[in-house]
Amino acid sequence: MASSLRSILSHAGALFSQIAGSLQPASDIRPFYEPLSTAPSCPLEGPLSCHNSTPITGDSCCFVSPGGRILLTQFWDQQAHVGGAEEDWTLHGLWPDLCDGTYDQFCRMTPHFNNITAVLEHYGQHELLQFMNRYWLAASGPNSRLWQHEFNKHATCINTLSPACYGELHSPGVEVVDYFTRASALFRILDTYTALKKAGIVPHARRHYPLVDIQAALQRFSGGRVVLRCLGSRSSVKDILHEAWYVYFVKGSLQTGEFVPAQDLGREGDAGNCAPWVRYLPKRRHVSSDDL
């Protein structure tokens, strides 16, 4: 049986500020994310994305812009994809919203890639691929299609992933490795299931929970703002919890910078659509060939 996300939290990276108190101290955690040698090296005390009062005149490779509001987005899938995943939220993407909460998409700041799996294999990222095939899952079709979509729609709008930011030693595809390893490392420290369980919020077929209680539990846990998205049991009511978006700013580059939980959503950033009371439904059990 596959292990749950909680059993691998000891591998989480210690790269993020204001980590929830329920996790291990940073000194006890083995860093999961180690940027490639050609990733930008930035000052420790650089400006925070979306918080500059004047235009950035220094190294733009050390300041995420214009998409400086970074969202780590998760799914609560309706069915467990593998045995042991009944309590696991899954990874949707890492998105660079603009500072006001709107967003660009399918940009040209970094090349588009249509062979994500091959690129990660080329750079020896076999452990990362194994992790992604467990936690970064497509609702339909191959997982690799979702990864391609997420990179080409979102990562191409992150300026510090530009080949120019890697200098003369840039090798095609290192930006792919950096994007997926950084997203996976952040996901590993955001155990949404446990955060809700500690607040007495667990999946139930009939129970309804106040949306404000769910939001408060996740914002206490992460230290920053969280957007919740729901599906509808009826066309006019979105009352089935389905997504959680954790909002961050970045100090430095996406590759090596510090993720700081956001205390606001921006003028257009509150994309929540849930009813005041929502259901948090249990996942349908995964049926393997052994069960047939």
Side-chain angles (χ1 to χ4, degrees), residues 76-79 86 203-206 280-284:
W76 178 250
D77 303 300
Q78 295 179 310
Q79 179 171 344
E86 293 79 9
H204 193 279
R206 294 178 299 278
Y280 181 20
L281 297 179
K283 294 187 180 188
R284 296 191 297 271

Side-chain angles (χ1 to χ4, degrees), residues 137-203:
L137 304 172
S140 61
N143 296 332
S144 58
R145 185 182 302 165
L146 172 63
W147 305 340
Q148 174 185 320
H149 171 81
E150 291 299 311
F151 187 90
N152 291 338
K153 181 176 180 179
H154 299 293
T156 58
C157 298
I158 302 174
N159 65 303
T160 69
L161 292 175
S162 166
C165 289
Y166 291 87
E168 295 180 356
L169 297 179
H170 173 260
S171 178
V174 293
E175 53 273 86
V176 172
V177 178
D178 279 338
Y179 174 76
F180 286 103
T181 51
R182 194 60 154 161
S184 297
L186 183 54
F187 172 76
R188 285 175 180 240
I189 67 168
L190 292 172
D191 184 357
T192 301
Y193 186 91
T194 295
L196 293 176
K197 184 177 180 180
K198 286 180 178 293
I201 300 168
V202 295

Side-chain angles (χ1 to χ4, degrees), residues 249-267:
F249 298 113
V250 181
K251 183 181 292 186
S253 69
L254 182 96
Q255 295 93 312
T256 62
E258 176 188 6
F259 277 63
V260 179
Q263 302 306 311
D264 68 83
L265 295 174
R267 186 181 68 247

Side-chain angles (χ1 to χ4, degrees), residues 224-240:
R225 298 300 300 272
V226 179
V227 175
L228 298 175
R229 300 277 296 175
C230 292
L231 299 174
S233 55
R234 301 184 302 275
S235 60
S236 60
V237 179
K238 306 291 186 182
D239 65 349
I240 300 174

Side-chain angles (χ1 to χ4, degrees), residues 30-287:
R30 177 180 67 83
F32 168 71
Y33 174 81
E34 296 181 4
L36 299 183
S37 59
T38 54
S41 177
C42 300
L44 295 177
E45 294 303 322
L48 188 65
S49 61
C50 292
H51 285 70
N52 55 308
S53 57
T54 59
I56 297 297
T57 58
D59 188 354
S60 62
C61 293
C62 289
F63 183 77
V64 180
S65 176
R69 184 183 295 272
I70 304 297
L71 278 59
L72 190 286
T73 60
Q74 299 185 11
F75 278 137
W76 178 250
D77 303 300
Q78 295 179 310
Q79 179 171 344
H81 294 272
V82 295
E86 293 79 9
E87 298 181 354
D88 289 332
W89 287 65
T90 60
L91 179 52
H92 185 178
L94 188 66
W95 304 345
D97 277 10
L98 302 176
C99 296
D100 64 0
T102 59
Y103 62 92
D104 293 329
Q105 58 183 336
F106 297 105
C107 306
R108 289 288 176 181
M109 294 181 181
T110 188
H112 289 220
F113 286 87
N114 299 322
N115 56 341
I116 301 300
T117 300
V119 171
L120 295 177
E121 288 177 339
H122 172 76
Y123 284 100
Q125 298 295 317
H126 306 295
E127 181 180 348
L128 175 62
L129 274 170
Q130 183 179 19
F131 179 87
M132 289 168 58
N133 272 311
R134 170 63 193 275
Y135 292 105
W136 203 326
L137 304 172
S140 61
N143 296 332
S144 58
R145 185 182 302 165
L146 172 63
W147 305 340
Q148 174 185 320
H149 171 81
E150 291 299 311
F151 187 90
N152 291 338
K153 181 176 180 179
H154 299 293
T156 58
C157 298
I158 302 174
N159 65 303
T160 69
L161 292 175
S162 166
C165 289
Y166 291 87
E168 295 180 356
L169 297 179
H170 173 260
S171 178
V174 293
E175 53 273 86
V176 172
V177 178
D178 279 338
Y179 174 76
F180 286 103
T181 51
R182 194 60 154 161
S184 297
L186 183 54
F187 172 76
R188 285 175 180 240
I189 67 168
L190 292 172
D191 184 357
T192 301
Y193 186 91
T194 295
L196 293 176
K197 184 177 180 180
K198 286 180 178 293
I201 300 168
V202 295
H204 193 279
R206 294 178 299 278
R207 186 176 301 166
H208 286 71
Y209 295 101
L211 181 68
V212 292
D213 290 356
I214 296 175
Q215 202 149 33
L218 296 181
Q219 290 179 170
R220 283 195 307 270
F221 163 67
S222 68
R225 298 300 300 272
V226 179
V227 175
L228 298 175
R229 300 277 296 175
C230 292
L231 299 174
S233 55
R234 301 184 302 275
S235 60
S236 60
V237 179
K238 306 291 186 182
D239 65 349
I240 300 174
L241 185 62
H242 182 55
E243 292 187 72
W245 301 355
Y246 294 88
V247 187
Y248 290 86
F249 298 113
V250 181
K251 183 181 292 186
S253 69
L254 182 96
Q255 295 93 312
T256 62
E258 176 188 6
F259 277 63
V260 179
Q263 302 306 311
D264 68 83
L265 295 174
R267 186 181 68 247
E268 307 291 336
D270 188 359
N273 69 343
C274 298
W277 288 77
V278 301
R279 291 185 292 163
Y280 181 20
L281 297 179
K283 294 187 180 188
R284 296 191 297 271
R285 189 173 69 90
H286 171 74
V287 178

Side-chain angles (χ1 to χ4, degrees), residues 6-36:
R6 276 148 298 292
S7 69
I8 61 171
L9 276 174
S10 60
H11 300 297
L15 295 170
F16 309 96
S17 65
Q18 300 184 28
I19 292 176
S22 61
L23 300 181
Q24 301 178 47
S27 59
D28 296 338
I29 300 175
R30 177 180 67 83
F32 168 71
Y33 174 81
E34 296 181 4
L36 299 183

